[in-house]
Amino acid sequence: MAASVQGRCARRLTAKLRSCLQCKQRAISHGRILWATHDVEFDKAKQRLNSLKEDPGNVTKLQMYALFKQATVGKCNVPKPGMMDFVGKAKWDAWNGLGDLSQDDAQLQYIKIVEELVAKESPASETSSSSPSGKFSELIINNSNGIYAITLNRPKKKNAINYEMYEQIQQALKEAEEDKSVIVASMTGAGNFYCSGNDLGNFANVTPDKIPEMARKGGEILKRYIASYIDFPKPLVGLINGPAVGVSVTVLGLYDAVYAVDSATFHTPFTALGQSAEGCSSYIFPKLMGAAKANEMLMFNRKLTAAQAYERGLVSEVFTEQSFSREVQTRLQEMGKLPPQSLWKSKKLVRDAARDTLHAVNARECEVLVERWQSEECMNAIMKFFQKS
Ligand code: COA
């Protein structure tokens, strides 16, 4: 063991002497110290990577994985995973792509990337990603003047809904329900996107044998999530500040008013992803816009502009970029001054007329999705998305 470590150190030193011009002098005279220093820096970098607050993104994570393997194992020495193991394959491709890069250069590149990521985490970005109440890591909550305003806060991922967010939105709705000072709740997105729907990463980090379990768990989470909208007893207002995709669109049928900026779009690309409708849209959309128009969205992936969503009854009112914020705030303030009991009882009347049906539709939609998430059509579509990323 000691001999092999020594041999490795010697090989690394030889490689370093060939390649690291900057360190050459020190390497010749203080070879051992130099390597000890790099190893210490490498260990520190590993720890610092784990303490990052922001997800560095899939591309960087793959790069880090590949550099780590190259630095610790050397050249890629494992067989290429099968096609269905798309996460394994992406990792293998990244590692194998480093070719003959020396272990020391891999260490140095790894350390450099971690330093850059740490430097990027400025105090400003920490503030913008934290919730004022400190309870929700993925949301910003502003609770004042009878309005409980929820902002989806993962702008770097276009506010895609990951598992934490599914849970936190439900907790936020519960908090809004239980807080007697809250008359109305609203939902919007941070940055220039409203929401890119379900986080496709929810499906990505699983091995093929875990797919049925992932699909079952995903179905349960989604069913609870949609049920929390069906049963939310106070008015819920959507403030669609940019493009909306997938479940963030379908669930709008369960909102009580939806205001959109004129540049917003509404896209439900379910069949393109080998998936199927959720959020009770299979029941509500045909009622809202007629079967032919609903099918364009739910079966044929048609993306609507804000004006088209308004014509189809999915959106209550559309505003220009300049007036959006002011107009929606005015409307929310007016709602916040209405007699609450009358408002909530009116909502209950409207919802009760279809509540049982909505729960049944939700259960059925989730059942179909659990099957879809295990299908080859869906796996291939998600693999394509991450390969593109
Ligand atoms: N799930 C996971 N990650 C997502 C995501 C989603 N639904 N939507 C966006 N992201 C991530 C991207 O992977 C990218 O991450 P990276 O920076 O680590 O590479 C980042 O968010 C920015 O997205 P990008 O694709 O670069 O922005 P864009 O403006 O070119 O496109 C979208 C935005 C939303 C049109 C595009 O990302 C997309 O099609 N996303 C998938 C939407 C979807 O199919 N949702 C599920 C419907 S059922």
Side-chain angles (χ1 to χ4, degrees):
M1 180 73 174
S4 83
V5 171
Q6 253 180 9
R8 193 175 136 218
C9 284
R11 278 199 305 281
R12 292 166 76 189
L13 182 55
T14 313
K16 191 72 215 163
L17 287 171
R18 273 203 310 270
S19 66
C20 182
L21 282 173
Q22 200 189 352
C23 299
K24 198 178 256 175
Q25 277 314 112
R26 285 182 65 209
I28 291 167
S29 53
H30 306 292
R32 279 175 190 280
I33 295 165
L34 176 68
W35 295 123
T37 307
H38 280 173
D39 282 342
V40 169
E41 288 305 314
F42 184 58
D43 283 341
K44 269 196 209 154
K46 283 189 278 178
Q47 282 160 18
R48 294 176 90 190
L49 185 69
N50 289 333
S51 68
L52 284 177
K53 291 190 189 75
E54 294 213 7
D55 185 336
N58 289 330
V59 173
T60 309
K61 280 194 284 195
L62 269 183
Q63 198 183 5
M64 300 302 297
Y65 166 81
L67 287 169
F68 182 82
K69 294 297 279 185
Q70 193 86 2
T72 52
V73 178
K75 192 175 171 173
C76 180
N77 61 358
V78 293
K80 188 171 182 172
M83 274 306 284
M84 281 304 286
D85 180 5
F86 53 88
V87 176
K89 195 174 159 297
K91 286 173 156 181
W92 187 90
D93 284 341
W95 184 12
N96 192 49
L98 294 180
D100 289 321
L101 182 75
S102 74
Q103 286 181 276
D104 305 311
D105 285 340
Q107 260 197 2
L108 289 170
Q109 285 186 27
Y110 183 98
I111 294 166
K112 185 165 171 274
I113 294 175
V114 174
E115 278 169 2
E116 283 167 6
L117 289 172
V118 170
K120 256 199 224 161
E121 285 202 338
S122 63
S125 65
E126 273 171 36
T127 313
S128 71
S129 69
S130 70
S131 145
S133 69
K135 263 186 268 177
F136 302 113
S137 58
E138 314 289 310
L139 308 174
I140 298 172
I141 305 293
N142 192 341
N143 184 1
S144 62
N145 300 325
I147 319 288
Y148 190 96
I150 303 170
T151 302
L152 309 173
N153 190 32
R154 287 183 80 211
K156 287 186 180 160
K157 295 287 174 187
K158 309 292 182 194
N159 301 318
I161 309 179
N162 58 15
Y163 286 141
E164 289 77 22
M165 224 160 165
Y166 278 115
E167 294 304 328
Q168 290 182 13
I169 293 169
Q170 289 173 70
Q171 285 167 26
L173 289 176
K174 197 80 204 146
E175 190 171 271
E177 175 183 338
E178 286 169 359
D179 183 336
K180 290 194 171 56
S181 73
V182 171
I183 315 290
V184 175
S186 70
M187 182 95 69
T188 195
N192 60 1
F193 237 79
Y194 175 64
C195 174
S196 60
N198 188 30
D199 188 319
L200 296 173
N202 293 342
F203 303 117
N205 296 320
V206 279
T207 50
D209 59 312
K210 296 271 164 39
I211 289 174
E213 172 62 12
M214 171 280 291
R216 192 193 53 73
K217 188 178 148 210
E220 277 170 14
I221 291 172
L222 184 65
K223 192 166 139 203
R224 263 193 293 116
Y225 178 71
I226 299 301
S228 73
Y229 284 86
I230 298 173
D231 290 331
F232 185 62
K234 298 178 180 177
L236 181 60
V237 181
L239 309 177
I240 316 303
N241 57 304
V245 186
V247 67
S248 73
V249 176
T250 53
V251 82
L252 293 178
L254 295 167
Y255 281 60
D256 303 289
V258 179
Y259 300 126
V261 67
D262 56 6
S263 58
T265 52
F266 298 82
H267 195 199
T268 49
F270 299 123
T271 58
L273 288 166
Q275 299 185 32
S276 53
E278 27 51 349
C280 298
S281 58
S282 61
Y283 172 74
I284 296 177
F285 279 23
K287 276 171 91 75
L288 270 183
M289 51 189 91
K293 299 224 157 145
N295 292 342
E296 274 191 326
M297 289 187 78
L298 300 179
M299 288 163 60
F300 308 123
N301 311 301
R302 164 110 184 244
K303 190 198 279 186
L304 301 188
T305 62
Q308 288 164 340
Y310 171 73
E311 279 160 20
R312 292 175 188 210
L314 188 60
V315 163
S316 325
E317 241 178 309
V318 179
F319 303 102
T320 62
E321 300 263 0
Q322 294 74 25
S323 65
F324 180 69
S325 178
R326 189 182 64 245
E327 294 289 350
V328 300
Q329 284 315 318
T330 307
R331 276 154 187 74
L332 283 170
Q333 298 303 331
E334 283 165 2
M335 289 177 191
K337 288 184 197 137
L338 290 170
Q341 290 300 331
S342 177
L343 200 54
W344 301 336
K345 288 200 165 135
S346 299
K347 164 139 189 183
K348 186 168 174 343
L349 267 181
V350 174
R351 186 50 46 93
D352 278 351
R355 192 183 304 272
D356 292 345
T357 307
L358 292 171
H359 281 298
V361 170
N362 179 29
R364 181 69 192 128
E365 286 177 344
C366 291
E367 250 172 54
V368 177
L369 265 174
V370 168
E371 176 273 318
R372 287 288 75 216
W373 286 333
Q374 299 177 67
S375 71
E376 204 173 325
E377 288 177 348
C378 177
M379 288 299 152
N380 286 340
I382 291 166
M383 184 165 65
K384 244 193 223 159
F385 173 74
F386 282 111
Q387 276 172 349
K388 207 171 68 192
S389 281

